[in-house]
Amino acid sequence: MSPKNILRGPQGPVFLDAECAWYGDPAFDLAFCLNHMLLKCLWRPAHAAAFLACFDALAAAYLDGVDWEPRTCIEERSARLLPGLFLARVDGKSPVEYVTQAAQKQQVRALAVPLLQTPPQRLAQVRAAWAKEIGL
């Protein structure tokens, strides 16, 4: 699920583009959406703090609803997926359309590679590293 495929409806979220839906690890869905919140900090630097607040709100709300396994387990899997998703969205087959400058792509790589080498256990670790990378 991508943030661009979620609309705010009168009784909650409305999900679009359901052909992408599948049964898999829900940690991927959380990491995929959170990845967009972080990458959008490069797209609109003036709104980076707001995107980080969205990251915090989404992570907290999602994890608060986890009742099928220990929340720390899904959080760790999501945190470990984020560095790979960072690279996939700048160097993979489906790059985000809003990270276009070479310097921006290098920022993403500079953060992702060390996190792949030493995987994070918590989403807050990824968020903090990203905030530092973008100067917040």
Side-chain angles (χ1 to χ4, degrees), residues 4 23 26 43 51 73 80 86 93 95 106 110 118 123 132:
K4 69 182 181 183
Y23 291 98
W43 177 55
F51 284 120
C73 293
R80 289 172 175 246
F86 269 139
K93 292 188 180 256
Q106 189 53 40
T118 306
L123 292 168
K132 182 178 178 182

Side-chain angles (χ1 to χ4, degrees), residues 2-48:
S2 172
K4 69 182 181 183
N5 294 340
I6 305 171
L7 297 177
R8 185 174 146 195
Q11 293 162 350
V14 176
F15 298 99
L16 307 173
D17 205 9
E19 82 265 4
C20 297
W22 70 294
Y23 291 98
D25 187 355
F28 179 85
D29 297 323
L30 177 58
F32 191 81
C33 285
L34 292 175
N35 188 47
H36 275 286
M37 296 300 111
L38 298 179
L39 290 175
K40 285 186 185 284
C41 293
L42 296 175
W43 177 55
R44 295 285 189 254
H47 301 290

